[in-house]
Amino acid sequence: MKKTLKISMLSLAIVSLAGIAGVNAQNTKGFTIKGELTGLKEGDKVMLIHSIDQRKMDTVFQTVKNNRFELKGRVKNGADFYSLRIENKRIRYNAFLDNSSMVLKGDAEDLSKVTLSGSSAHDDYQRYTAIMAPTTAKIRSLNKEYRDARTAKNEELVKTISKQFDELEEEQAKLTNDFILKNPQSYYTPYLIFNGDIEPSVTEPVYNGLAKVVKTSTYGIKVKERLADLSRVALGIKAPDFSALTPEGTTLSLNEVVKKGKYTLIDFWASWCGPCRQENPNVVAAYAKFHEKGLNVLGVSLDKTEGAAAWKKAIADDQLTWYQISDLKYWESPMVKLYAIRGIPHSVLVDANGIIVAKDLRGKALHDKLEELLK
């Protein structure tokens, strides 16, 4: 979700007041799923799995009788994602559950056609997925075209497809913004906010407009915590300094680079990151156009120690002629926590004093901003 939450405060206030009363009452004791799936055998085990973190799973299971089963549990705060699985089958059904009484029906051999009714949170999840489906399908199709173009070294086609990616991302952002604006009472809304590009100055008023019970939900709490993390790298704040090794093995800091130009683009990337490599030609073009006018770029790689050779090769292959550093610590890099990074490519544009003036500029948006600043 790029550049999301471009919402007028008046519109937000009107929609919020209309939507707060719409939060469905739930069974505070927990949820119940009464299921009936054809194609199950007597004694098959149906499991409902909730990932607490990367190392711990909370699993509810029930043995099937006459193709029927009943699963019970409790969502701690509002709503969260669960995965329905059948033992010894690789397929699964993802559900965004709240503490409601639900009915699940379908065919065990094709969980993609399963229906789950009774949960307003899951209804919102499915509604959003349906809204995004056409754009998502286009992006999947373009991914193959992009890979084929790179393999064929068709640079013109690569540029054309990259532009199409940018347009589709903008379309996704608009659709997501619209959903967030219209659904302040939905438990799925803070999930979308949390998984988007949060900017405190824009996101905080949107968060404040959410229904009270939504704010105290699992993802409402995460949005609040995320806003706190991002406050140290918000627009208008001096970018925290950091340093790491160049490919040649010398130490280079952000402050050293900032002093050498009018603006510095801090570009977080990695050799293994497909979207980063897709964006690199755009950054190369921007650097060629604006370097003489005062633009510097500091590439910060999140490669692993064993990926050092791949990092250096990617720099050469993609013709990244600007400053490059990495501590080769992957997602364990202190720079990830310092800049509250959750995904790459991620960029931060700072002025000659190190003040953050823009973030996550990609495609045409990067050129437009630099054109504005470096006239």
Side-chain angles (χ1 to χ4, degrees), residues 114-310:
V114 161
T115 61
L116 177 66
S117 59
S119 166
S120 61
H122 187 69
D123 289 347
D124 289 342
Y125 162 55
Q126 290 189 308
R127 185 158 53 90
Y128 174 80
T129 302
I131 290 170
M132 301 298 288
T135 309
T136 301
K138 292 176 185 177
I139 289 175
R140 286 175 179 167
S141 176
L142 274 182
N143 277 329
K144 183 180 184 307
E145 293 180 34
Y146 182 85
R147 290 193 299 270
D148 292 344
R150 281 191 65 89
T151 300
K153 296 184 178 181
N154 187 336
E155 296 304 322
E156 196 60 38
L157 184 56
V158 166
K159 290 180 182 178
T160 299
I161 296 174
S162 294
K163 183 179 179 181
Q164 289 177 288
F165 273 125
D166 293 336
E167 292 170 352
L168 288 171
E169 278 194 354
E170 287 297 320
E171 184 178 338
Q172 283 186 321
K174 183 181 184 304
L175 292 172
T176 301
N177 289 344
D178 289 345
F179 187 96
I180 289 170
L181 173 61
K182 295 174 182 176
N183 295 278
Q185 80 290 352
S186 172
Y187 286 121
Y188 196 61
T189 293
Y191 171 83
L192 291 175
I193 297 172
F194 178 71
N195 285 283
D197 291 328
I198 297 176
E199 176 54 45
S201 62
V202 178
T203 305
E204 194 160 358
V206 178
Y207 167 79
N208 291 336
L210 298 178
K212 185 176 180 180
V213 293
V214 174
K215 288 182 186 177
T216 58
S217 68
T218 294
Y219 286 100
I221 293 169
K222 287 185 177 182
V223 169
K224 184 177 181 179
E225 293 172 345
R226 178 76 176 150
L227 284 168
D229 288 341
L230 286 169
S231 63
R232 63 178 176 270
V233 284
L235 296 178
I237 299 293
K238 183 175 173 59
D241 190 29
F242 57 85
S243 63
L245 295 179
T246 67
E248 296 74 33
T250 59
T251 300
L252 180 66
S253 72
L254 170 63
N255 284 349
E256 290 177 82
V257 178
V258 167
K259 293 175 182 176
K260 298 177 181 179
K262 295 179 181 178
Y263 288 92
T264 298
L265 183 72
I266 312 168
D267 182 28
F268 294 93
W269 72 293
S271 65
W272 47 261
C273 169
C276 302
R277 304 296 293 274
Q278 291 173 17
E279 178 63 11
N280 277 345
N282 183 59
V283 183
V284 168
Y287 185 73
K289 184 176 181 180
F290 295 103
H291 177 56
E292 292 300 320
K293 296 182 179 181
L295 173 69
N296 279 322
V297 179
L298 175 62
V300 184
S301 167
L302 301 187
D303 276 280
K304 302 178 181 179
T305 301
E306 58 269 30

Side-chain angles (χ1 to χ4, degrees), residues 79 107 203 239 357:
D107 185 348
T203 305
V357 297

Side-chain angles (χ1 to χ4, degrees), residues 4 12 20 42 52 76 85 103 126 134 153 180 201 223 251 282 293 314 350:
T4 61
L12 178 64
I20 286 175
E42 198 79 5
I52 299 172
K76 185 177 179 181
R85 301 186 184 185
V103 175
Q126 290 189 308
K153 296 184 178 181
I180 289 170
S201 62
V223 169
T251 300
N282 183 59
K293 296 182 179 181
V350 302

